[in-house]
Amino acid sequence: MKAFLHRTAFSALAVASLAAGSMAWSSPVAAQALPPASEVIAKYVAAIGGKDAILKITSMTSTGTLEIPAMGLTATMEVYAAAPNKMATKTTIPGMGELLNGFNGSVAWDLNPMSGPRLLADKELEQMKENAGFHDNMLYTPDRFSKMETVGVADFNGEKAYKLLMVRKGSGTQSTQYFSVATGLLLGGETSSTTQMGEMMMSQSITEYKAFDGVKIPVKLEQTAGTNKMLITTSDVKFNSVPATAFDVPAQVKPLIKP
């Protein structure tokens, strides 16, 4: 689901940046009429468990690992999310320390051992708000997008997929997402992401889903940000048990918040 992908992607980009500091998919559009984006999204929502099952989830905790094979690096990850728009991640890199980032509904932060604490602002803040949207991102709520259009059919990782172009209303972030024609599941995509280092293109491929309490979650992903290839594996997911304290602003960040 998209919310999960964005949360893990944020940490993946941060890990790649920290580690570095310390050390054509489309085919021609089919001749037949393409289904509208709303139909593709409806099939996807049904494929991962259905709207009713998704709306019963009010929070999610996932744990797993993030690997950067080229650097011989493996980090552990904890991702927390809650409705309507809270998220926090903790990525622990052996020998380097913890990377923390999150959004508590009003304040967005990033904290890592190299650059220290900082508050997110401008497009980074807007992007974080969008990524934190809990049900909106699971359901691809249409009023959160200024554009959502099926633009073609593509071969993606050996599967035929509908190619959707999406533009977020707030940040204007554009992404291309690929949904399996056969199963309806999201197979991956490309997104332009605003980071501390500037704009960066990120591509992702979902290689495995697993059902938790009747809702399918991507548990194996391959992501590429710049020249870094990352492998994300989720080992466990729990619903409706995230403590409110998971979204507390870190002590090192609090002095940066203006009264």
Side-chain angles (χ1 to χ4, degrees):
M1 54 184 63
K2 191 177 180 183
F4 175 85
L5 298 181
H6 280 300
R7 284 186 286 273
T8 56
F10 191 96
S11 289
L13 287 170
V15 171
S17 173
L18 180 62
S22 65
M23 308 188 42
W25 297 332
S26 294
S27 62
V29 175
Q32 71 270 23
L34 295 169
S38 58
E39 184 178 310
V40 176
I41 295 302
K43 185 175 180 180
Y44 161 72
V45 171
I48 64 172
K51 184 175 181 179
D52 289 345
I54 291 169
L55 290 178
K56 289 179 181 177
I57 304 170
T58 57
S59 68
M60 180 173 71
T61 303
S62 65
T63 55
T65 59
L66 185 151
E67 302 173 66
I68 304 181
M71 298 180 179
L73 183 152
T74 299
T76 60
M77 293 182 64
E78 299 173 33
V79 182
Y80 304 93
N85 62 345
K86 294 181 179 181
M87 61 167 281
T89 66
K90 180 172 73 172
T91 308
T92 305
I93 308 174
M96 297 183 192
E98 293 181 346
L99 285 74
L100 306 174
N101 56 72
F103 179 67
N104 67 357
S106 59
V107 175
W109 64 88
D110 180 43
L111 173 62
N112 77 58
M114 284 192 68
S115 61
R118 67 187 186 98
L119 294 176
L120 304 191
D122 303 322
K123 190 173 180 179
E124 275 191 288
L125 173 59
E126 190 62 38
Q127 191 171 265
M128 181 70 89
K129 288 180 181 178
E130 292 171 350
N131 294 344
F134 194 76
H135 291 126
D136 285 339
N137 284 322
M138 289 184 183
L139 299 171
Y140 283 87
T141 305
D143 64 8
R144 303 300 184 192
F145 296 85
S146 60
K147 185 173 187 178
M148 186 184 287
E149 180 184 357
T150 310
V151 295
V153 176
D155 292 322
F156 189 93
N157 285 353
E159 285 196 55
K160 184 164 290 189
Y162 291 120
K163 178 181 177 181
L164 269 61
L165 175 64
M166 300 182 177
V167 181
R168 299 299 298 250
K169 274 187 177 178
S171 66
T173 299
Q174 180 172 307
S175 66
T176 303
Q177 305 293 325
Y178 297 85
F179 296 83
S180 170
V181 171
T183 68
L185 292 173
L186 176 63
L187 301 176
E190 297 177 318
T191 303
S192 176
S193 182
T194 301
T195 72
Q196 191 175 10
M197 301 173 290
E199 290 293 320
M200 182 177 291
M201 283 301 299
M202 184 196 73
S203 63
Q204 59 197 11
S205 174
I206 303 170
T207 58
E208 185 179 340
Y209 281 85
K210 183 178 178 180
F212 296 88
D213 295 334
V215 176
K216 289 183 179 179
I217 301 291
V219 294
K220 289 189 178 181
L221 302 92
E222 295 183 4
Q223 295 184 335
T224 302
T227 59
N228 296 297
K229 180 178 180 179
M230 294 153 283
L231 307 176
I232 297 172
T233 302
T234 297
S235 55
D236 191 30
V237 172
K238 290 184 172 61
F239 297 138
N240 303 335
S241 61
V242 177
T245 54
F247 309 105
D248 287 349
V249 178
Q252 302 95 314
V253 177
K254 288 181 179 179
L256 303 179
I257 302 175
K258 296 180 180 180

